[in-house]
Amino acid sequence: DQQVKQNSPSLSVQEGRISILNCDYTNSMFDYFLWYKKYPAEGPTFLISISSIKDKNEDGRFTVFLNKSAKHLSLHIVPSQPGDSAVYFCAARRQGAQKLVFGQGTRLTINP
Amino acid sequence: GAGVSQSPSNKVTEKGKDVELRCDPISGHTALYWYRQSLGQGLEFLIYFQGNSAPDKSGLPSDRFSAERTGGSVSTLTIQRTQQEDSAVYLCASRSNYEQYFGPGTRLTVT
């Protein structure tokens, strides 16, 4: 049972344009959501998070949007840069729980 | 500053052998997690340690898998009688507040 889904295994975007990465979840008990970025041969690094009491959180070029009614969140990167090329994982945490449930990841490629 | 470190970075083993993977968390982090990432898959939770509490082992896939954390710091993940389906990248993470900080992982290949 995949509780967190990233349906796009890959995404290709031109440098300078907006990258939009999507994530869907099924468990309504999730109350905290995170995005991680992973380069090859490295561990995932935390990027940005959002609590379920918010619908938007912004940090520089990165913005995460949460639509609770649709159980959907997205990560917007604008403008996209070549260094943003990586695998992006969406993760969710249930209220009171300590472990994260991850999606399958989306490989983002930024083309010059 | 020292992040989470894991050793070895790569491990190739024959089916049926036992392996031990090591994780050194960030100093002072009381929470430690093990995940694995199989090819084309997301990160799968294995086990979670928090201070002196009993670990959450709910993600361990079989009784061939075990983990311990000595002195609230270093952790070892042991896989007994390895199988080919155990081949994956095993990631360790430690946490202070909300965010988990990951190590670079150990790539395990069972031949």
Side-chain angles (χ1 to χ4, degrees):
Chain A
D1 177 28
Q2 189 72 32
Q3 296 187 64
V4 178
K5 297 180 183 179
Q6 294 175 256
N7 292 316
S8 297
S10 63
L11 176 67
S12 187
V13 174
Q14 193 170 6
E15 182 179 359
R17 306 294 284 268
I18 184 171
S19 296
I20 301 176
L21 298 125
N22 293 304
C23 177
D24 297 291
Y25 62 96
T26 58
N27 192 337
S28 58
M29 297 299 291
F30 289 144
D31 70 343
Y32 193 71
F33 304 88
L34 308 91
W35 284 94
Y36 281 81
K37 175 180 178 179
K38 185 180 184 302
Y39 292 119
E42 295 183 11
T45 56
F46 169 74
L47 195 56
I48 192 169
S49 63
I50 188 166
S51 164
S52 60
I53 62 173
K54 295 185 175 181
D55 56 16
K56 176 183 175 181
N57 189 27
E58 190 171 354
D59 184 3
R61 297 185 297 114
F62 303 91
T63 303
V64 56
F65 294 92
L66 176 62
N67 182 334
K68 283 190 294 183
S69 61
K71 294 191 178 67
H72 176 84
L73 66 156
S74 60
L75 174 68
H76 293 211
I77 307 172
V78 57
S80 300
Q81 299 175 354
D84 297 330
S85 295
V87 177
Y88 289 78
F89 290 98
C90 165
R93 191 183 69 206
R94 190 169 46 86
Q95 186 177 18
Q98 299 301 329
K99 63 187 181 188
L100 297 177
V101 180
F102 284 84
Q104 308 96 310
T106 297
R107 180 178 301 278
L108 175 65
T109 302
I110 306 301
N111 301 309
Chain B
V4 178
S5 61
Q6 292 185 245
S7 60
S9 55
N10 280 284
K11 176 72 177 178
V12 180
T13 190
E14 292 181 353
K15 178 181 171 182
K17 296 285 180 68
D18 297 351
V19 294
E20 272 193 3
L21 312 180
R22 177 187 168 106
C23 172
D24 284 87
I26 294 172
S27 177
H29 283 193
T30 58
L32 186 147
Y33 301 77
W34 282 98
Y35 294 87
R36 74 175 175 182
Q37 184 183 13
S38 302
L39 190 63
Q41 302 296 314
L43 279 71
E44 174 191 4
F45 167 79
L46 297 177
I47 188 169
Y48 160 65
F49 296 90
Q50 172 65 59
N52 295 321
S53 302
D56 176 355
K57 303 179 182 180
S58 59
L60 295 178
S62 78
D63 58 7
R64 297 186 295 105
F65 288 72
S66 62
E68 60 178 26
R69 189 179 184 192
T70 53
S73 180
V74 171
S75 177
T76 54
L77 176 70
T78 302
I79 308 173
Q80 295 178 311
R81 305 180 302 282
T82 52
Q83 304 294 313
Q84 287 187 328
E85 61 262 28
D86 299 335
S87 296
V89 176
Y90 288 81
L91 290 155
C92 174
S94 67
R95 175 177 61 84
S96 58
N97 292 316
Y98 289 107
E99 287 78 37
Q100 296 181 20
Y101 296 85
F102 284 84
T106 294
R107 181 176 295 279
L108 174 66
T109 304
V110 182
T111 62

